[in-house]
Amino acid sequence: MEDKRQIVDNLVLELRRGTLVLSVLSQLVAPQYGYSLVESLETKGIHIDPGTLYPLLRRLEKQELLQSEWETSGPKPRKYYILSVLGKEVYQELCNEWLELNKSIMAIL
Amino acid sequence: MAMRDRSGEMVDRYVYAVTRRLPVAQQADVDRELRSLIEDMLSAREDQGPDRTGEVEAVLIELGNPWELASNYRGKKRYLIGPDHYDLYEMIVKIVVGATGLGIIIALMVGYVFNPPETVFSTIGNFIGTVVSALFQAFAWVTIIFAIAERCNERNEANKQVAWKVSDLPEVPAHTKRFSKAESIAGIICLVIFFMILNAAPSLFTMGIYTGEVWIAPVFNPEVFKQVLVLFNITIALAICVEFVKLYFGQYSPKLAVVMISIKTVTFIISLYIIGASGIWNPALPAALETYFHLGADFVASFARFWNFFPTLLIILTILGYVVETITTVHRSFWGKVVR
């Protein structure tokens, strides 16, 4: 039943992929750099590969949902991201959508 | 002494493998970001001796394939020929490469029959070389044209992100309004073969009749033929274009009718010139027949009359063909029935 396992894994991956943006936006009320975000999400049970997260952060910044700044005063230079005003609004709406979706899905499962 | 620490070089190589695939404007920033990330990932690992090679390798493997990472950074996928047109591209490559191969082989064979080569080996080499380079050319040209179309299309797509309307969908055409795919493909193959033979073995068309000692009495005037060859090529190229247009759009439409009739009109005018005004027909043909074949004077006289009339006959046929085709195109484009 190797096939079934693989099909399930792929579908789960797709489900998770849809929730990534929401997860990331939720954590950026305070500034964070990429790897701290990976770790803080990990401790909350959400796994995201750095190779996926870093390009995603950049894309969200390009869409003007995030703002970034290089912090060079510490021992390692780090790029910190934080929600922009637009990002906060979008996050709020996404949250509502998620709750609606969740309600609907729970009702049919 | 401890083994040389190669971790720094590994990081350099990895970062370079990612950033060199990115737009120049992003490279420096991504470089910095990746290095800082790799450092963070390393610090998160527990045991770090003086030699970090093993840890660095593990971290880089965790980060994944640099090609994939780079394509994540780039976001959108890039194509030479995108999925939208790939099927059409594949079909046309098959047709054009197949027809070119067939055409060049026939042309070379015909050339060898009429002009036997002296050495076998060099001829085989030449033969293979010519065929291969013709196939590459055919492939390259089709690919270049599609690649350019793809670029133009990309720009268009970016400009128009408008909603489509159901009413914009074209009506389902009646069978009389559809172009036959098979007919177009057969047409293209014949045209390409004709083009190849015409250009690779022009002697075939100017050689006339072999008496056992000399070539005499060509049907075409060789000098004029050389001059109008380019016109022949233009008409063939235009005809091929028409077939491709038909393949692409699949059905008659008023707009297409205008394009097709314009192209056909150009072809028509060129044909009239070639047949009627270029002086391509060899006027010495009847006399040569008389001299070399000792045919009766009566026969030669009537042949000469026919030969004088021949271009006119061809012109009449060309005009008839043009008129019939234009009427058919207009009729089918503007008045074809629509399937309900």
Side-chain angles (χ1 to χ4, degrees), chain B residues 209 216-219 281-311:
Chain B
I209 299 151
I216 52 120
V219 173
W281 310 107
N282 183 6
L285 186 61
L289 287 180
E290 188 176 18
T291 320
Y292 288 95
F293 293 97
H294 313 292
L295 297 168
D298 283 352
F299 176 80
V300 172
S302 50
F303 182 78
R305 248 177 285 132
F306 166 74
W307 192 234
N308 277 335
F309 178 63
F310 184 63

PDB file of all heavy atoms in Angstrom, chain B residues 209 216-219 281-311:
ATOM      1  N   ILE B 209      15.589  17.721 -72.531  1.00  0.00           N
ATOM      2  CA  ILE B 209      15.585  16.337 -73.001  1.00  0.00           C
ATOM      3  C   ILE B 209      17.003  15.902 -73.318  1.00  0.00           C
ATOM      4  O   ILE B 209      17.791  16.645 -73.899  1.00  0.00           O
ATOM      5  CB  ILE B 209      14.681  16.225 -74.250  1.00  0.00           C
ATOM      6  CG1 ILE B 209      13.260  16.624 -73.848  1.00  0.00           C
ATOM      7  CG2 ILE B 209      14.701  14.823 -74.817  1.00  0.00           C
ATOM      8  CD1 ILE B 209      12.467  17.217 -74.965  1.00  0.00           C
ATOM      9  N   ILE B 216      19.259  19.079 -74.381  1.00  0.00           N
ATOM     10  CA  ILE B 216      18.747  20.136 -75.258  1.00  0.00           C
ATOM     11  C   ILE B 216      17.331  20.500 -74.859  1.00  0.00           C
ATOM     12  O   ILE B 216      16.690  19.793 -74.082  1.00  0.00           O
ATOM     13  CB  ILE B 216      18.729  19.677 -76.744  1.00  0.00           C
ATOM     14  CG1 ILE B 216      17.994  18.328 -76.824  1.00  0.00           C
ATOM     15  CG2 ILE B 216      20.112  19.584 -77.315  1.00  0.00           C
ATOM     16  CD1 ILE B 216      16.803  18.376 -77.675  1.00  0.00           C
ATOM     17  N   ALA B 217      16.906  21.576 -75.428  1.00  0.00           N
ATOM     18  CA  ALA B 217      15.505  21.956 -75.370  1.00  0.00           C
ATOM     19  C   ALA B 217      14.868  21.924 -73.989  1.00  0.00           C
ATOM     20  O   ALA B 217      13.939  21.188 -73.743  1.00  0.00           O
ATOM     21  CB  ALA B 217      14.708  21.056 -76.303  1.00  0.00           C
ATOM     22  N   PRO B 218      15.409  22.689 -73.071  1.00  0.00           N
ATOM     23  CA  PRO B 218      14.721  22.745 -71.786  1.00  0.00           C
ATOM     24  C   PRO B 218      13.354  23.402 -71.926  1.00  0.00           C
ATOM     25  O   PRO B 218      13.157  24.266 -72.784  1.00  0.00           O
ATOM     26  CB  PRO B 218      15.648  23.592 -70.919  1.00  0.00           C
ATOM     27  CG  PRO B 218      16.470  24.367 -71.873  1.00  0.00           C
ATOM     28  CD  PRO B 218      16.577  23.558 -73.124  1.00  0.00           C
ATOM     29  N   VAL B 219      12.420  22.954 -71.077  1.00  0.00           N
ATOM     30  CA  VAL B 219      11.086  23.556 -71.074  1.00  0.00           C
ATOM     31  C   VAL B 219      11.176  25.007 -70.600  1.00  0.00           C
ATOM     32  O   VAL B 219      10.543  25.896 -71.146  1.00  0.00           O
ATOM     33  CB  VAL B 219      10.158  22.737 -70.162  1.00  0.00           C
ATOM     34  CG1 VAL B 219       8.816  23.444 -69.994  1.00  0.00           C
ATOM     35  CG2 VAL B 219       9.973  21.349 -70.733  1.00  0.00           C
ATOM     36  N   TRP B 281       9.263  30.487 -70.502  1.00  0.00           N
ATOM     37  CA  TRP B 281       9.106  29.372 -71.435  1.00  0.00           C
ATOM     38  C   TRP B 281      10.140  29.467 -72.536  1.00  0.00           C
ATOM     39  O   TRP B 281      10.357  30.537 -73.097  1.00  0.00           O
ATOM     40  CB  TRP B 281       7.684  29.363 -72.018  1.00  0.00           C
ATOM     41  CG  TRP B 281       6.650  29.468 -70.948  1.00  0.00           C
ATOM     42  CD1 TRP B 281       5.886  30.548 -70.651  1.00  0.00           C
ATOM     43  CD2 TRP B 281       6.305  28.462 -70.001  1.00  0.00           C
ATOM     44  NE1 TRP B 281       5.082  30.292 -69.576  1.00  0.00           N
ATOM     45  CE2 TRP B 281       5.314  29.006 -69.156  1.00  0.00           C
ATOM     46  CE3 TRP B 281       6.721  27.155 -69.786  1.00  0.00           C
ATOM     47  CZ2 TRP B 281       4.745  28.284 -68.106  1.00  0.00           C
ATOM     48  CZ3 TRP B 281       6.150  26.449 -68.745  1.00  0.00           C
ATOM     49  CH2 TRP B 281       5.171  27.008 -67.908  1.00  0.00           C
ATOM     50  N   ASN B 282      10.755  28.362 -72.823  1.00  0.00           N
ATOM     51  CA  ASN B 282      11.809  28.349 -73.824  1.00  0.00           C
ATOM     52  C   ASN B 282      11.195  28.391 -75.229  1.00  0.00           C
ATOM     53  O   ASN B 282      10.587  27.423 -75.665  1.00  0.00           O
ATOM     54  CB  ASN B 282      12.646  27.083 -73.644  1.00  0.00           C
ATOM     55  CG  ASN B 282      13.811  27.027 -74.615  1.00  0.00           C
ATOM     56  OD1 ASN B 282      14.041  27.994 -75.344  1.00  0.00           O
ATOM     57  ND2 ASN B 282      14.515  25.913 -74.617  1.00  0.00           N
ATOM     58  N   PRO B 283      11.357  29.513 -75.960  1.00  0.00           N
ATOM     59  CA  PRO B 283      10.701  29.632 -77.272  1.00  0.00           C
ATOM     60  C   PRO B 283      11.316  28.689 -78.302  1.00  0.00           C
ATOM     61  O   PRO B 283      10.698  28.381 -79.323  1.00  0.00           O
ATOM     62  CB  PRO B 283      10.934  31.100 -77.651  1.00  0.00           C
ATOM     63  CG  PRO B 283      12.131  31.509 -76.856  1.00  0.00           C
ATOM     64  CD  PRO B 283      12.129  30.694 -75.604  1.00  0.00           C
ATOM     65  N   ALA B 284      12.531  28.191 -77.988  1.00  0.00           N
ATOM     66  CA  ALA B 284      13.229  27.356 -78.970  1.00  0.00           C
ATOM     67  C   ALA B 284      12.808  25.893 -78.899  1.00  0.00           C
ATOM     68  O   ALA B 284      13.335  25.061 -79.636  1.00  0.00           O
ATOM     69  CB  ALA B 284      14.747  27.474 -78.756  1.00  0.00           C
ATOM     70  N   LEU B 285      11.844  25.588 -78.007  1.00  0.00           N
ATOM     71  CA  LEU B 285      11.508  24.178 -77.803  1.00  0.00           C
ATOM     72  C   LEU B 285      10.992  23.478 -79.070  1.00  0.00           C
ATOM     73  O   LEU B 285      11.509  22.416 -79.433  1.00  0.00           O
ATOM     74  CB  LEU B 285      10.504  24.050 -76.660  1.00  0.00           C
ATOM     75  CG  LEU B 285      10.153  22.629 -76.229  1.00  0.00           C
ATOM     76  CD1 LEU B 285      11.380  21.880 -75.728  1.00  0.00           C
ATOM     77  CD2 LEU B 285       9.080  22.644 -75.147  1.00  0.00           C
ATOM     78  N   PRO B 286      10.014  24.041 -79.797  1.00  0.00           N
ATOM     79  CA  PRO B 286       9.509  23.337 -80.986  1.00  0.00           C
ATOM     80  C   PRO B 286      10.598  23.116 -82.023  1.00  0.00           C
ATOM     81  O   PRO B 286      10.721  22.002 -82.561  1.00  0.00           O
ATOM     82  CB  PRO B 286       8.429  24.285 -81.514  1.00  0.00           C
ATOM     83  CG  PRO B 286       8.043  25.127 -80.358  1.00  0.00           C
ATOM     84  CD  PRO B 286       9.268  25.280 -79.523  1.00  0.00           C
ATOM     85  N   ALA B 287      11.415  24.148 -82.244  1.00  0.00           N
ATOM     86  CA  ALA B 287      12.477  24.019 -83.246  1.00  0.00           C
ATOM     87  C   ALA B 287      13.453  22.927 -82.844  1.00  0.00           C
ATOM     88  O   ALA B 287      13.889  22.114 -83.671  1.00  0.00           O
ATOM     89  CB  ALA B 287      13.209  25.355 -83.394  1.00  0.00           C
ATOM     90  N   ALA B 288      13.769  22.866 -81.549  1.00  0.00           N
ATOM     91  CA  ALA B 288      14.711  21.857 -81.066  1.00  0.00           C
ATOM     92  C   ALA B 288      14.141  20.461 -81.259  1.00  0.00           C
ATOM     93  O   ALA B 288      14.862  19.532 -81.645  1.00  0.00           O
ATOM     94  CB  ALA B 288      15.018  22.102 -79.589  1.00  0.00           C
ATOM     95  N   LEU B 289      12.835  20.335 -81.034  1.00  0.00           N
ATOM     96  CA  LEU B 289      12.202  19.033 -81.221  1.00  0.00           C
ATOM     97  C   LEU B 289      12.364  18.575 -82.663  1.00  0.00           C
ATOM     98  O   LEU B 289      12.680  17.422 -82.942  1.00  0.00           O
ATOM     99  CB  LEU B 289      10.714  19.100 -80.867  1.00  0.00           C
ATOM    100  CG  LEU B 289      10.383  19.204 -79.375  1.00  0.00           C
ATOM    101  CD1 LEU B 289       8.875  19.252 -79.180  1.00  0.00           C
ATOM    102  CD2 LEU B 289      10.981  18.039 -78.606  1.00  0.00           C
ATOM    103  N   GLU B 290      12.180  19.529 -83.560  1.00  0.00           N
ATOM    104  CA  GLU B 290      12.289  19.207 -84.978  1.00  0.00           C
ATOM    105  C   GLU B 290      13.715  18.769 -85.326  1.00  0.00           C
ATOM    106  O   GLU B 290      13.933  17.758 -85.974  1.00  0.00           O
ATOM    107  CB  GLU B 290      11.892  20.423 -85.818  1.00  0.00           C
ATOM    108  CG  GLU B 290      11.790  20.098 -87.297  1.00  0.00           C
ATOM    109  CD  GLU B 290      11.292  21.304 -88.102  1.00  0.00           C
ATOM    110  OE1 GLU B 290      11.363  22.433 -87.571  1.00  0.00           O
ATOM    111  OE2 GLU B 290      10.857  21.106 -89.239  1.00  0.00           O
ATOM    112  N   THR B 291      14.689  19.532 -84.847  1.00  0.00           N
ATOM    113  CA  THR B 291      16.077  19.259 -85.186  1.00  0.00           C
ATOM    114  C   THR B 291      16.536  17.906 -84.634  1.00  0.00           C
ATOM    115  O   THR B 291      17.165  17.138 -85.340  1.00  0.00           O
ATOM    116  CB  THR B 291      16.991  20.346 -84.593  1.00  0.00           C
ATOM    117  OG1 THR B 291      16.347  21.596 -84.758  1.00  0.00           O
ATOM    118  CG2 THR B 291      18.344  20.358 -85.281  1.00  0.00           C
ATOM    119  N   TYR B 292      16.242  17.660 -83.371  1.00  0.00           N
ATOM    120  CA  TYR B 292      16.864  16.512 -82.727  1.00  0.00           C
ATOM    121  C   TYR B 292      16.048  15.239 -82.843  1.00  0.00           C
ATOM    122  O   TYR B 292      16.575  14.155 -82.711  1.00  0.00           O
ATOM    123  CB  TYR B 292      17.156  16.824 -81.256  1.00  0.00           C
ATOM    124  CG  TYR B 292      18.286  17.803 -81.104  1.00  0.00           C
ATOM    125  CD1 TYR B 292      18.050  19.166 -80.961  1.00  0.00           C
ATOM    126  CD2 TYR B 292      19.619  17.357 -81.153  1.00  0.00           C
ATOM    127  CE1 TYR B 292      19.082  20.070 -80.840  1.00  0.00           C
ATOM    128  CE2 TYR B 292      20.664  18.257 -81.035  1.00  0.00           C
ATOM    129  CZ  TYR B 292      20.389  19.606 -80.877  1.00  0.00           C
ATOM    130  OH  TYR B 292      21.420  20.491 -80.774  1.00  0.00           O
ATOM    131  N   PHE B 293      14.745  15.389 -83.029  1.00  0.00           N
ATOM    132  CA  PHE B 293      13.940  14.164 -83.046  1.00  0.00           C
ATOM    133  C   PHE B 293      13.350  13.862 -84.422  1.00  0.00           C
ATOM    134  O   PHE B 293      12.672  12.870 -84.586  1.00  0.00           O
ATOM    135  CB  PHE B 293      12.823  14.255 -81.988  1.00  0.00           C
ATOM    136  CG  PHE B 293      13.375  14.247 -80.588  1.00  0.00           C
ATOM    137  CD1 PHE B 293      13.569  15.425 -79.899  1.00  0.00           C
ATOM    138  CD2 PHE B 293      13.731  13.033 -79.988  1.00  0.00           C
ATOM    139  CE1 PHE B 293      14.102  15.416 -78.626  1.00  0.00           C
ATOM    140  CE2 PHE B 293      14.250  13.022 -78.720  1.00  0.00           C
ATOM    141  CZ  PHE B 293      14.441  14.204 -78.030  1.00  0.00           C
ATOM    142  N   HIS B 294      13.634  14.734 -85.363  1.00  0.00           N
ATOM    143  CA  HIS B 294      13.180  14.505 -86.739  1.00  0.00           C
ATOM    144  C   HIS B 294      11.693  14.196 -86.774  1.00  0.00           C
ATOM    145  O   HIS B 294      11.259  13.245 -87.406  1.00  0.00           O
ATOM    146  CB  HIS B 294      14.002  13.385 -87.398  1.00  0.00           C
ATOM    147  CG  HIS B 294      15.468  13.552 -87.173  1.00  0.00           C
ATOM    148  ND1 HIS B 294      16.196  14.595 -87.734  1.00  0.00           N
ATOM    149  CD2 HIS B 294      16.349  12.845 -86.430  1.00  0.00           C
ATOM    150  CE1 HIS B 294      17.451  14.519 -87.345  1.00  0.00           C
ATOM    151  NE2 HIS B 294      17.576  13.462 -86.541  1.00  0.00           N
ATOM    152  N   LEU B 295      10.929  14.994 -86.049  1.00  0.00           N
ATOM    153  CA  LEU B 295       9.484  14.798 -86.070  1.00  0.00           C
ATOM    154  C   LEU B 295       8.914  15.464 -87.311  1.00  0.00           C
ATOM    155  O   LEU B 295       9.519  16.384 -87.867  1.00  0.00           O
ATOM    156  CB  LEU B 295       8.863  15.419 -84.818  1.00  0.00           C
ATOM    157  CG  LEU B 295       9.324  14.757 -83.513  1.00  0.00           C
ATOM    158  CD1 LEU B 295       8.908  15.598 -82.323  1.00  0.00           C
ATOM    159  CD2 LEU B 295       8.769  13.350 -83.411  1.00  0.00           C
ATOM    160  N   GLY B 296       7.751  14.999 -87.717  1.00  0.00           N
ATOM    161  CA  GLY B 296       7.138  15.550 -88.927  1.00  0.00           C
ATOM    162  C   GLY B 296       6.852  17.033 -88.790  1.00  0.00           C
ATOM    163  O   GLY B 296       6.592  17.528 -87.688  1.00  0.00           O
ATOM    164  N   ALA B 297       6.910  17.733 -89.923  1.00  0.00           N
ATOM    165  CA  ALA B 297       6.713  19.181 -89.921  1.00  0.00           C
ATOM    166  C   ALA B 297       5.322  19.545 -89.422  1.00  0.00           C
ATOM    167  O   ALA B 297       5.145  20.534 -88.698  1.00  0.00           O
ATOM    168  CB  ALA B 297       6.931  19.752 -91.317  1.00  0.00           C
ATOM    169  N   ASP B 298       4.337  18.717 -89.775  1.00  0.00           N
ATOM    170  CA  ASP B 298       2.966  18.992 -89.336  1.00  0.00           C
ATOM    171  C   ASP B 298       2.872  18.969 -87.826  1.00  0.00           C
ATOM    172  O   ASP B 298       2.296  19.860 -87.198  1.00  0.00           O
ATOM    173  CB  ASP B 298       2.001  17.923 -89.888  1.00  0.00           C
ATOM    174  CG  ASP B 298       1.706  18.172 -91.350  1.00  0.00           C
ATOM    175  OD1 ASP B 298       2.131  19.257 -91.839  1.00  0.00           O
ATOM    176  OD2 ASP B 298       1.090  17.309 -91.983  1.00  0.00           O
ATOM    177  N   PHE B 299       3.452  17.915 -87.236  1.00  0.00           N
ATOM    178  CA  PHE B 299       3.402  17.775 -85.792  1.00  0.00           C
ATOM    179  C   PHE B 299       4.080  18.960 -85.104  1.00  0.00           C
ATOM    180  O   PHE B 299       3.537  19.560 -84.183  1.00  0.00           O
ATOM    181  CB  PHE B 299       4.070  16.470 -85.350  1.00  0.00           C
ATOM    182  CG  PHE B 299       4.129  16.329 -83.868  1.00  0.00           C
ATOM    183  CD1 PHE B 299       2.996  15.903 -83.155  1.00  0.00           C
ATOM    184  CD2 PHE B 299       5.280  16.649 -83.156  1.00  0.00           C
ATOM    185  CE1 PHE B 299       3.038  15.796 -81.788  1.00  0.00           C
ATOM    186  CE2 PHE B 299       5.325  16.551 -81.782  1.00  0.00           C
ATOM    187  CZ  PHE B 299       4.190  16.115 -81.096  1.00  0.00           C
ATOM    188  N   VAL B 300       5.264  19.295 -85.638  1.00  0.00           N
ATOM    189  CA  VAL B 300       6.013  20.398 -85.028  1.00  0.00           C
ATOM    190  C   VAL B 300       5.237  21.697 -85.138  1.00  0.00           C
ATOM    191  O   VAL B 300       5.170  22.476 -84.189  1.00  0.00           O
ATOM    192  CB  VAL B 300       7.406  20.532 -85.676  1.00  0.00           C
ATOM    193  CG1 VAL B 300       8.104  21.794 -85.183  1.00  0.00           C
ATOM    194  CG2 VAL B 300       8.242  19.297 -85.349  1.00  0.00           C
ATOM    195  N   ALA B 301       4.593  21.896 -86.285  1.00  0.00           N
ATOM    196  CA  ALA B 301       3.832  23.133 -86.467  1.00  0.00           C
ATOM    197  C   ALA B 301       2.693  23.208 -85.456  1.00  0.00           C
ATOM    198  O   ALA B 301       2.469  24.251 -84.831  1.00  0.00           O
ATOM    199  CB  ALA B 301       3.288  23.203 -87.894  1.00  0.00           C
ATOM    200  N   SER B 302       1.985  22.087 -85.297  1.00  0.00           N
ATOM    201  CA  SER B 302       0.870  22.152 -84.347  1.00  0.00           C
ATOM    202  C   SER B 302       1.393  22.250 -82.920  1.00  0.00           C
ATOM    203  O   SER B 302       0.783  22.911 -82.073  1.00  0.00           O
ATOM    204  CB  SER B 302      -0.079  20.956 -84.516  1.00  0.00           C
ATOM    205  OG  SER B 302       0.649  19.760 -84.525  1.00  0.00           O
ATOM    206  N   PHE B 303       2.566  21.611 -82.661  1.00  0.00           N
ATOM    207  CA  PHE B 303       3.140  21.754 -81.335  1.00  0.00           C
ATOM    208  C   PHE B 303       3.539  23.206 -81.062  1.00  0.00           C
ATOM    209  O   PHE B 303       3.316  23.727 -79.967  1.00  0.00           O
ATOM    210  CB  PHE B 303       4.363  20.840 -81.152  1.00  0.00           C
ATOM    211  CG  PHE B 303       4.954  20.938 -79.779  1.00  0.00           C
ATOM    212  CD1 PHE B 303       4.360  20.273 -78.707  1.00  0.00           C
ATOM    213  CD2 PHE B 303       6.072  21.720 -79.537  1.00  0.00           C
ATOM    214  CE1 PHE B 303       4.873  20.393 -77.428  1.00  0.00           C
ATOM    215  CE2 PHE B 303       6.588  21.854 -78.259  1.00  0.00           C
ATOM    216  CZ  PHE B 303       5.991  21.172 -77.197  1.00  0.00           C
ATOM    217  N   ALA B 304       4.102  23.841 -82.085  1.00  0.00           N
ATOM    218  CA  ALA B 304       4.515  25.240 -81.928  1.00  0.00           C
ATOM    219  C   ALA B 304       3.303  26.110 -81.614  1.00  0.00           C
ATOM    220  O   ALA B 304       3.371  27.012 -80.764  1.00  0.00           O
ATOM    221  CB  ALA B 304       5.199  25.736 -83.194  1.00  0.00           C
ATOM    222  N   ARG B 305       2.159  25.802 -82.291  1.00  0.00           N
ATOM    223  CA  ARG B 305       0.951  26.585 -82.009  1.00  0.00           C
ATOM    224  C   ARG B 305       0.513  26.373 -80.562  1.00  0.00           C
ATOM    225  O   ARG B 305       0.195  27.304 -79.845  1.00  0.00           O
ATOM    226  CB  ARG B 305      -0.173  26.178 -82.985  1.00  0.00           C
ATOM    227  CG  ARG B 305      -0.509  27.293 -83.970  1.00  0.00           C
ATOM    228  CD  ARG B 305      -1.565  26.845 -84.962  1.00  0.00           C
ATOM    229  NE  ARG B 305      -0.996  25.943 -85.977  1.00  0.00           N
ATOM    230  CZ  ARG B 305      -1.521  24.784 -86.339  1.00  0.00           C
ATOM    231  NH1 ARG B 305      -2.632  24.341 -85.804  1.00  0.00           N
ATOM    232  NH2 ARG B 305      -0.941  24.040 -87.257  1.00  0.00           N
ATOM    233  N   PHE B 306       0.552  25.078 -80.178  1.00  0.00           N
ATOM    234  CA  PHE B 306       0.200  24.766 -78.792  1.00  0.00           C
ATOM    235  C   PHE B 306       1.144  25.484 -77.834  1.00  0.00           C
ATOM    236  O   PHE B 306       0.726  26.068 -76.838  1.00  0.00           O
ATOM    237  CB  PHE B 306       0.269  23.251 -78.557  1.00  0.00           C
ATOM    238  CG  PHE B 306       0.262  22.882 -77.100  1.00  0.00           C
ATOM    239  CD1 PHE B 306      -0.911  22.975 -76.344  1.00  0.00           C
ATOM    240  CD2 PHE B 306       1.426  22.459 -76.461  1.00  0.00           C
ATOM    241  CE1 PHE B 306      -0.914  22.647 -75.001  1.00  0.00           C
ATOM    242  CE2 PHE B 306       1.425  22.137 -75.110  1.00  0.00           C
ATOM    243  CZ  PHE B 306       0.252  22.229 -74.382  1.00  0.00           C
ATOM    244  N   TRP B 307       2.428  25.459 -78.128  1.00  0.00           N
ATOM    245  CA  TRP B 307       3.449  26.053 -77.246  1.00  0.00           C
ATOM    246  C   TRP B 307       3.243  27.558 -77.098  1.00  0.00           C
ATOM    247  O   TRP B 307       3.470  28.118 -76.027  1.00  0.00           O
ATOM    248  CB  TRP B 307       4.845  25.741 -77.797  1.00  0.00           C
ATOM    249  CG  TRP B 307       5.964  26.040 -76.838  1.00  0.00           C
ATOM    250  CD1 TRP B 307       7.050  26.815 -77.058  1.00  0.00           C
ATOM    251  CD2 TRP B 307       6.102  25.539 -75.502  1.00  0.00           C
ATOM    252  NE1 TRP B 307       7.850  26.850 -75.961  1.00  0.00           N
ATOM    253  CE2 TRP B 307       7.295  26.074 -74.977  1.00  0.00           C
ATOM    254  CE3 TRP B 307       5.321  24.701 -74.703  1.00  0.00           C
ATOM    255  CZ2 TRP B 307       7.737  25.802 -73.687  1.00  0.00           C
ATOM    256  CZ3 TRP B 307       5.758  24.432 -73.422  1.00  0.00           C
ATOM    257  CH2 TRP B 307       6.953  24.973 -72.927  1.00  0.00           C
ATOM    258  N   ASN B 308       2.792  28.196 -78.192  1.00  0.00           N
ATOM    259  CA  ASN B 308       2.507  29.628 -78.125  1.00  0.00           C
ATOM    260  C   ASN B 308       1.302  29.912 -77.252  1.00  0.00           C
ATOM    261  O   ASN B 308       1.241  30.915 -76.537  1.00  0.00           O
ATOM    262  CB  ASN B 308       2.244  30.196 -79.514  1.00  0.00           C
ATOM    263  CG  ASN B 308       3.557  30.508 -80.218  1.00  0.00           C
ATOM    264  OD1 ASN B 308       4.566  30.747 -79.551  1.00  0.00           O
ATOM    265  ND2 ASN B 308       3.550  30.460 -81.545  1.00  0.00           N
ATOM    266  N   PHE B 309       0.343  28.987 -77.340  1.00  0.00           N
ATOM    267  CA  PHE B 309      -0.904  29.193 -76.624  1.00  0.00           C
ATOM    268  C   PHE B 309      -0.803  28.775 -75.152  1.00  0.00           C
ATOM    269  O   PHE B 309      -1.562  29.237 -74.305  1.00  0.00           O
ATOM    270  CB  PHE B 309      -2.015  28.396 -77.328  1.00  0.00           C
ATOM    271  CG  PHE B 309      -3.351  28.500 -76.659  1.00  0.00           C
ATOM    272  CD1 PHE B 309      -3.990  29.739 -76.557  1.00  0.00           C
ATOM    273  CD2 PHE B 309      -3.968  27.383 -76.104  1.00  0.00           C
ATOM    274  CE1 PHE B 309      -5.224  29.841 -75.929  1.00  0.00           C
ATOM    275  CE2 PHE B 309      -5.198  27.490 -75.459  1.00  0.00           C
ATOM    276  CZ  PHE B 309      -5.829  28.717 -75.388  1.00  0.00           C
ATOM    277  N   PHE B 310       0.188  27.887 -74.873  1.00  0.00           N
ATOM    278  CA  PHE B 310       0.309  27.270 -73.557  1.00  0.00           C
ATOM    279  C   PHE B 310       0.277  28.258 -72.378  1.00  0.00           C
ATOM    280  O   PHE B 310      -0.509  28.087 -71.431  1.00  0.00           O
ATOM    281  CB  PHE B 310       1.574  26.404 -73.537  1.00  0.00           C
ATOM    282  CG  PHE B 310       1.761  25.630 -72.267  1.00  0.00           C
ATOM    283  CD1 PHE B 310       0.838  24.658 -71.881  1.00  0.00           C
ATOM    284  CD2 PHE B 310       2.860  25.867 -71.441  1.00  0.00           C
ATOM    285  CE1 PHE B 310       1.007  23.935 -70.710  1.00  0.00           C
ATOM    286  CE2 PHE B 310       3.036  25.147 -70.272  1.00  0.00           C
ATOM    287  CZ  PHE B 310       2.102  24.183 -69.909  1.00  0.00           C
ATOM    288  N   PRO B 311       1.105  29.342 -72.418  1.00  0.00           N
ATOM    289  CA  PRO B 311       1.069  30.297 -71.299  1.00  0.00           C
ATOM    290  C   PRO B 311      -0.326  30.895 -71.114  1.00  0.00           C
ATOM    291  O   PRO B 311      -0.786  31.029 -69.973  1.00  0.00           O
ATOM    292  CB  PRO B 311       2.079  31.369 -71.712  1.00  0.00           C
ATOM    293  CG  PRO B 311       2.984  30.684 -72.664  1.00  0.00           C
ATOM    294  CD  PRO B 311       2.144  29.687 -73.397  1.00  0.00           C
TER     295      PRO B 311
END
